[in-house]
């Protein structure tokens, strides 16, 4: 049932930061899987670049280990692994130095797509862009892929955009948000715009509210010091949750094309109301037995950074006037779960005696785990007990719907890298979107910093601080259960 794989054009992909965590865990194993599927053709090549001194053979060994650890490779795929590794090369390069660039220039081929993945700290983006240009390695057809964090506020995001714009046109810049590469996220658009059923109901006449939850069970662990300078708002809301919000709330684009979709997303961000601080709850996880608190993990006993945030937002336009969007995300929560739930209004009137018309349809889009969509509908409770109504889910879990083919559903990173090679920017953030998102989050962050707002403690393995529950209760609503 999974669609036929269409090979992409041959490419030379340079991964700056090719020895880093992201490259080893996601990018390189993902590329291997695309090679296995036939989407990456044998004419393509991948060149790792980082400061570490090693030769191509050393890099291949590192990638072979990464594929074993993170790629789901079977022993029977030994031949395919060897073939894939033969397509790899490595150049020792310091983004800030001059060594290695001539060697890299010599490796680049004409007549294939040239792409450069900046899997390094954003502070190096400018140096890389500059040297790619200086050594004539990038041309007007080349693409660059950049990772989050894309700035830490509007000013730094503008500066980063300006640095990249010095050498690359916006059509060459692919800002990755891997949430947009998830199968379900694209399915959200298919459900909305490919069915006649939902769009007529997708507005303030029928929708009571929308909930977006991204819950993680992990803490900030080893990256505490980095995370403490960021927090849940910058790390998760400004990018992932806002992108999900845009896709659920945007007007139908006239075509499923990059700028059509991104124009509509931008309008949503620009229509977001400022959020009063009474409608924001920030939290920090507390210590639990031997498990350290957020402040211990962050090694900052006076930290005011949030590891959890919940908020109520409104979109100022005709479609969504009066419909609250509740967002929440946090670490050390009770389960790992990402979900968007569109909660429709209660039935206006029930014709069934004794029934209080409290039935509501809920369309839940699960990003993880068990990617899928379910629609809660009201039916008669089976049996002879009269006309009693119950709410049950119509479940479309992809793994069940697609059977064995579900294993072939592409990982978000793989899909997005293939989109880069195809030159399709639909699932990537445009510079003005990123800036608009910061323009909305900056005043909220400045406000709590000015007030020295202290995050509320919450238990590890919970659904966040009690105040987050109250945020909904005050409105006569409740969060959906966080289920793994
Ligand atoms: N890891 C993730 O899951 C994840 C998720 C989302 C976004 N990101 C972002 O992706 C980027 C990479 O993250 P990461 O976790 O892979 O970081 P990492 O493990 O610290 O890797 C950094 C990479 O950059 C290379 N590097 C550092 N300084 C360099 C320089 N001056 N010139 C050339 N190469 C240099 C390092 O190799 P050498 O030391 O050998 O030079 C290494 O390969 C970061 O911007 C991060 O925020 C990561």
């Amino acid at each position: 049932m999974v669609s036929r794989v269409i090979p992409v054009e041959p490419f030379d992909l340079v991964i700056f930061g090719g020895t880093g965590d992201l490259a080893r865990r996601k990018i390189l194993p993902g590329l291997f899987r695309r090679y296995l599927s036939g989407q990456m053709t044998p004419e393509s090549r991948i060149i790792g670049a980082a400061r570490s001194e090693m030769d191509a053979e050393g890099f291949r060994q590192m990638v072979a280990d990464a594929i074993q650890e993170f790629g789901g490779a079977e022993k029977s795929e030994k031949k395919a692994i060897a073939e894939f590794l033969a397509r790899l090369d490595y150049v020792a390069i310091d983004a800030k130095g001059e060594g290695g660039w001539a060697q890299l220039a010599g490796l680049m081929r004409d007549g294939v797509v040239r792409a450069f993945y900046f899997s390094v700290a954003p502070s190096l983006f400018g140096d890389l862009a500059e040297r790619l240009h200086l050594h004539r390695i990038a041309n007007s057809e080349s693409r660059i892929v950049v990772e989050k964090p894309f700035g830490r506020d509007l000013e730094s995001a503008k500066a980063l955009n300006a640095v990249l714009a010095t050498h690359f046109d916006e059509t060459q810049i692919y800002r990755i948000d891997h949430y947009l590469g998830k199968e379900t996220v694209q399915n959200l658009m298919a459900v909305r715009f490919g069915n006649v059923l939902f769009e007529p109901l997708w507005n303030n006449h029928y929708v009571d509210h929308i909930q977006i939850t991204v819950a993680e069970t992990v803490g900030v662990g080893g990256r505490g010091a980095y995370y403490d300078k960021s927090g849940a708002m910058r790390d998760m809301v400004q990018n992932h949750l806002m992108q999900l919000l845009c896709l659920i709330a945007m007007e139908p684009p006239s075509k499923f094309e990059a700028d059509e979709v991104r124009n509509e997303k931008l309008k949503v961000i620009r229509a977001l109301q400022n959020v009063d601080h009474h409608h924001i709850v920030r939290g920090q996880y507390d210590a639990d037995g031997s498990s350290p608190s957020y402040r211990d993990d962050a090694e900052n006993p006076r930290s005011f950074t949030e590891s959890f945030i919940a908020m109520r937002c409104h979109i100022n336009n005709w479609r969504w006037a009066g419909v609250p969007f509740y967002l929440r995300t946090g670490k050390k929560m009770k389960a790992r779960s990402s979900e968007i739930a569109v909660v429709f209004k209660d039935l206006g009137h029930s014709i069934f005696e004794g029934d209080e018309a409290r039935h509501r349809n809920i369309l839940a889009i699960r990003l993880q785990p068990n990617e899928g969509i379910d629609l809660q509908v009201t039916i008669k409770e089976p049996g002879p007990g009269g006309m009693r109504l119950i709410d049950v889910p119509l479940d479309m879990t992809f793994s069940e719907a697609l059977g064995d083919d579900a294993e072939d559903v592409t990982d978000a990173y793989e899909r997005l890298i293939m989109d880069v090679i195809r030159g399709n920017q639909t699932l990537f953030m445009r510079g003005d979107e990123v800036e608009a998102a910061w323009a909305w989050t900056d005043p909220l962050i400045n406000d709590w910093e000015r007030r020295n707002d202290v995050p509320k403690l919450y238990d590890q393995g919970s659904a966040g601080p009690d105040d987050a529950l109250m945020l909904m209760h005050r409105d006569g609503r409740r969060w959906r259960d966080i289920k793994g």
Side-chain angles (χ1 to χ4, degrees):
M1 210 194 282
V2 171
S3 60
R4 193 166 53 88
V5 168
I6 302 170
V8 294
E9 275 181 71
F11 59 84
D12 280 349
L13 171 66
V14 180
I15 307 175
F16 292 107
T19 57
D21 175 71
L22 183 66
R24 282 184 294 110
R25 268 189 321 111
K26 290 287 180 186
I27 305 172
L28 289 156
L31 283 162
F32 169 63
R33 285 192 292 270
R34 290 300 89 210
Y35 183 76
L36 264 189
S37 76
Q39 200 163 18
M40 170 182 161
T41 60
E43 297 80 40
S44 298
R45 279 184 334 177
I46 299 159
I47 302 159
R51 289 168 308 178
S52 303
E53 289 294 341
M54 67 169 103
D55 57 11
E57 211 35 61
F59 184 61
R60 287 183 192 128
Q61 188 53 52
M62 190 210 83
V63 177
D65 295 344
I67 290 173
Q68 288 301 341
E69 194 173 349
F70 306 111
E74 305 285 332
K75 284 211 167 54
S76 57
E77 287 162 0
K78 239 177 168 171
K79 185 166 160 275
I81 294 177
E83 279 174 20
F84 175 73
L85 295 179
R87 264 127 211 114
L88 305 188
D89 211 329
Y90 182 82
V91 183
I93 274 190
D94 184 343
K96 291 177 172 298
E98 297 312 322
W101 289 97
Q103 191 192 344
L104 180 62
L107 286 176
M108 305 308 293
R109 299 172 297 169
D110 290 329
V112 298
V113 173
R114 284 188 193 182
F116 304 93
Y117 201 126
F118 291 8
S119 183
V120 293
S123 56
L124 297 175
F125 290 179
D127 294 297
L128 290 178
E130 176 81 32
R131 285 178 173 77
L132 283 173
H133 177 75
L134 206 70
H135 294 271
R136 297 176 195 277
I137 298 171
N139 55 35
S140 60
E141 304 288 306
S142 305
R143 288 136 212 193
I144 57 167
V145 185
V146 293
E147 270 291 342
K148 82 165 200 183
F150 207 81
R152 68 180 316 275
D153 53 20
L154 178 58
E155 197 186 331
S156 52
K158 276 186 171 169
L160 266 186
N161 276 338
V163 156
L164 297 180
T166 314
H167 299 297
F168 295 94
D169 185 73
E170 183 62 37
T171 55
Q172 298 178 274
I173 305 170
Y174 291 72
R175 293 177 195 79
I176 271 205
D177 183 331
H178 69 276
Y179 270 63
L180 295 185
K182 288 184 180 286
E183 186 72 20
T184 334
V185 169
Q186 290 165 75
N187 236 314
L188 163 62
M189 287 188 272
V191 166
R192 271 195 72 183
F193 305 128
N195 293 286
V196 75
L197 275 184
F198 296 108
E199 205 45 32
L201 308 178
W202 215 260
N203 55 51
N204 56 5
H205 297 293
Y206 295 98
V207 174
D208 178 74
H209 72 277
I210 290 177
Q211 301 186 16
I212 303 179
T213 297
V214 177
E216 298 176 284
T217 49
V218 293
V220 296
R223 51 194 284 268
Y226 157 79
Y227 186 92
D228 203 44
K229 294 194 195 76
S230 148
M233 183 69 153
R234 289 190 170 98
D235 193 49
M236 298 297 290
V237 177
Q238 187 274 343
N239 38 64
H240 305 317
L241 276 83
M242 283 191 68
Q243 287 295 319
L244 300 179
L245 173 80
C246 286
L247 293 177
I248 202 98
M250 71 184 185
E251 294 300 313
S254 60
K255 285 184 238 156
F256 189 58
E257 279 182 7
D259 275 334
E260 305 292 336
V261 172
R262 298 189 302 177
N263 288 343
E264 296 306 334
K265 280 161 56 194
L266 180 63
K267 285 185 207 161
V268 174
I269 304 175
R270 289 191 173 154
L272 273 168
Q273 243 176 42
N274 189 24
V275 185
D276 182 273
H277 70 82
H278 292 109
H279 298 135
I280 299 180
V281 177
R282 298 165 65 242
Q284 271 180 354
Y285 57 82
D286 204 353
D288 180 13
S290 60
S291 188
S293 68
Y294 170 77
R295 287 181 172 191
D296 293 335
D297 276 344
E299 293 173 13
N300 181 0
R302 295 179 51 77
S303 171
F304 284 179
T305 304
E306 74 285 355
S307 61
F308 171 96
I309 190 164
M311 59 202 299
R312 190 183 88 181
C313 316
H314 282 275
I315 298 172
N316 274 336
N317 64 20
W318 274 46
R319 186 187 283 265
W320 296 117
V323 178
F325 286 72
Y326 297 94
L327 315 183
R328 79 180 151 167
T329 179
K331 301 210 174 275
K332 291 268 184 179
M333 311 269 299
K334 63 190 282 195
R336 177 171 172 262
S337 161
S338 301
E339 181 195 80
I340 307 170
V342 181
V343 181
F344 291 93
K345 289 188 173 171
D346 285 352
L347 199 65
H349 162 76
S350 179
I351 61 168
F352 305 107
E353 199 178 333
D355 184 61
E356 290 171 354
R358 289 289 298 171
H359 303 288
R360 41 178 48 182
N361 299 118
I362 300 176
L363 181 72
I365 298 128
R366 289 189 309 274
L367 278 70
Q368 65 189 21
N370 302 329
E371 280 197 69
I373 292 177
D374 76 51
L375 177 65
Q376 181 177 294
V377 291
T378 302
I379 59 166
K380 176 190 168 297
E381 188 173 29
M387 201 61 186
R388 280 206 304 270
L389 303 186
I390 53 167
D391 297 332
V392 294
L394 279 180
D395 191 347
M396 200 188 87
T397 302
F398 294 159
S399 57
E400 283 169 20
L402 302 179
D404 292 344
D405 287 342
E407 285 177 18
D408 294 338
V409 170
T410 322
D411 168 85
Y413 270 98
E414 299 170 37
R415 177 193 317 281
L416 292 172
I417 297 171
M418 290 300 107
D419 277 357
V420 172
I421 306 300
R422 285 196 203 96
N424 183 350
Q425 290 185 305
T426 312
L427 300 175
F428 295 83
M429 293 178 293
R430 209 168 52 192
D432 52 2
E433 268 183 85
V434 175
E435 289 182 16
W438 282 120
W440 180 72
T441 45
D442 271 4
L444 311 183
I445 296 171
N446 293 343
D447 177 63
W448 73 58
E449 284 180 351
R450 196 175 35 78
R451 289 184 295 103
N452 286 326
D453 181 67
V454 184
K456 306 279 184 305
L457 289 179
Y458 62 94
D459 291 337
Q460 298 189 20
S462 72
D466 289 346
D467 289 39
L469 304 181
M470 287 308 298
L471 180 78
M472 283 282 239
H473 285 189
R474 279 203 307 261
D475 296 346
R477 301 185 174 100
R478 3 205 277 234
W479 291 104
R480 282 164 61 78
D481 194 17
I482 298 175
K483 284 190 287 211

